[in-house]
Amino acid sequence: MLVGRSPVGADVQRVLMQSGNVTELQCSIVLKCLSSDPNERFQTCDELLSILMPQHQENANTNCGKENRITEVTREAIFDYLIDRNREELNAYVYQQTFSSQEPERVFYYSGRRDDLTFLSRLYDVENLPSDEALTFENEIIKHTIRNHDFEYGWVFHDSRLHLDSGSDENLLKFLCEMFHPVVRSEESDWESVKEDINNLLRVDSYEIYESGKISVRSVFSYRYCL
């Protein structure tokens, strides 16, 4: 079904990879399931679930010694996309409009309707994060993003304390899902389009953000491994 032909009598791995329909990791899962030796197949549902739904198995703030699937290339593409989209929408809905015609609520921010500190507090134990200055992390962020606004938009992506550019997949995925939480997102923004664009980037590395439930009839999102 994956390649439109029978793999019998052929190098199954080569046929699968040449089809362009599967990633290397997906190919390894298929081959493990098809192994002629039962002992080499997945032995339990939990073993397979740890691959398909890793958020149930790993801590979101550490690598847990496991190799990340989301590459540096994909991470940078996501960060660049979010920064560029914010800049384009600010120009379209705010800067190029007269004051009476401005629509700042239509601009998509990763922190949505929240300030950076409030948003990050939903994901991190901000009280115990270190500061690069003679301040607490909280006061550092208040100083630079609320009082003075001298941190550039997107500063979070490469802050080593937040582990978004080099931490675990789960750390980044939880951050991305939180952007679309109904308590965070601006319903006036085109957040659904942002989610689809992010998914197009994530699926290269076999992840996707999906609707996992609802709160007060509004969609809540989680992430999963996608075959």
Side-chain angles (χ1 to χ4, degrees), residues 15 32 41 53 171 182:
V15 172
K32 189 174 180 68
R41 301 173 190 167
M53 300 288 284
N171 198 58

PDB file of all heavy atoms in Angstrom, residues 15 32 41 53 171 182:
ATOM      1  N   VAL A  15      13.070  -0.225  -1.476  1.00  0.00           N
ATOM      2  CA  VAL A  15      11.819   0.081  -2.185  1.00  0.00           C
ATOM      3  C   VAL A  15      11.009   1.127  -1.423  1.00  0.00           C
ATOM      4  O   VAL A  15      10.486   2.074  -2.005  1.00  0.00           O
ATOM      5  CB  VAL A  15      10.982  -1.203  -2.391  1.00  0.00           C
ATOM      6  CG1 VAL A  15       9.603  -0.863  -2.944  1.00  0.00           C
ATOM      7  CG2 VAL A  15      11.703  -2.160  -3.329  1.00  0.00           C
ATOM      8  N   LYS A  32      10.269  -3.294  11.261  1.00  0.00           N
ATOM      9  CA  LYS A  32      10.209  -3.985  12.555  1.00  0.00           C
ATOM     10  C   LYS A  32       8.902  -4.768  12.676  1.00  0.00           C
ATOM     11  O   LYS A  32       8.875  -5.891  13.182  1.00  0.00           O
ATOM     12  CB  LYS A  32      10.338  -2.963  13.687  1.00  0.00           C
ATOM     13  CG  LYS A  32      10.502  -3.584  15.080  1.00  0.00           C
ATOM     14  CD  LYS A  32      10.761  -2.500  16.114  1.00  0.00           C
ATOM     15  CE  LYS A  32      10.937  -3.086  17.509  1.00  0.00           C
ATOM     16  NZ  LYS A  32      12.175  -3.873  17.644  1.00  0.00           N
ATOM     17  N   ARG A  41      10.071  -8.084  16.497  1.00  0.00           N
ATOM     18  CA  ARG A  41       8.928  -7.191  16.321  1.00  0.00           C
ATOM     19  C   ARG A  41       8.652  -6.442  17.626  1.00  0.00           C
ATOM     20  O   ARG A  41       9.247  -6.732  18.662  1.00  0.00           O
ATOM     21  CB  ARG A  41       7.683  -7.997  15.906  1.00  0.00           C
ATOM     22  CG  ARG A  41       7.857  -8.772  14.612  1.00  0.00           C
ATOM     23  CD  ARG A  41       6.649  -9.675  14.368  1.00  0.00           C
ATOM     24  NE  ARG A  41       6.887 -10.598  13.256  1.00  0.00           N
ATOM     25  CZ  ARG A  41       6.131 -11.643  12.981  1.00  0.00           C
ATOM     26  NH1 ARG A  41       5.068 -11.914  13.748  1.00  0.00           N
ATOM     27  NH2 ARG A  41       6.418 -12.428  11.955  1.00  0.00           N
ATOM     28  N   MET A  53       3.371   8.074  20.313  1.00  0.00           N
ATOM     29  CA  MET A  53       2.890   9.112  21.217  1.00  0.00           C
ATOM     30  C   MET A  53       3.925   9.371  22.303  1.00  0.00           C
ATOM     31  O   MET A  53       3.707   9.084  23.477  1.00  0.00           O
ATOM     32  CB  MET A  53       1.562   8.688  21.851  1.00  0.00           C
ATOM     33  CG  MET A  53       0.453   8.422  20.850  1.00  0.00           C
ATOM     34  SD  MET A  53      -0.180   9.930  20.086  1.00  0.00           S
ATOM     35  CE  MET A  53      -1.170  10.581  21.426  1.00  0.00           C
ATOM     36  N   ASN A 171       9.626  19.395  24.259  1.00  0.00           N
ATOM     37  CA  ASN A 171       9.675  20.756  24.766  1.00  0.00           C
ATOM     38  C   ASN A 171       9.186  21.741  23.709  1.00  0.00           C
ATOM     39  O   ASN A 171       8.373  22.629  23.987  1.00  0.00           O
ATOM     40  CB  ASN A 171      11.110  21.090  25.190  1.00  0.00           C
ATOM     41  CG  ASN A 171      11.168  22.283  26.117  1.00  0.00           C
ATOM     42  OD1 ASN A 171      10.559  22.289  27.174  1.00  0.00           O
ATOM     43  ND2 ASN A 171      11.900  23.307  25.718  1.00  0.00           N
ATOM     44  N   PRO A 182      -7.006  27.836  23.599  1.00  0.00           N
ATOM     45  CA  PRO A 182      -8.039  28.880  23.585  1.00  0.00           C
ATOM     46  C   PRO A 182      -7.841  29.972  24.627  1.00  0.00           C
ATOM     47  O   PRO A 182      -8.339  31.096  24.449  1.00  0.00           O
ATOM     48  CB  PRO A 182      -9.341  28.096  23.830  1.00  0.00           C
ATOM     49  CG  PRO A 182      -8.926  26.758  24.345  1.00  0.00           C
ATOM     50  CD  PRO A 182      -7.579  26.486  23.771  1.00  0.00           C
TER      51      PRO A 182
END
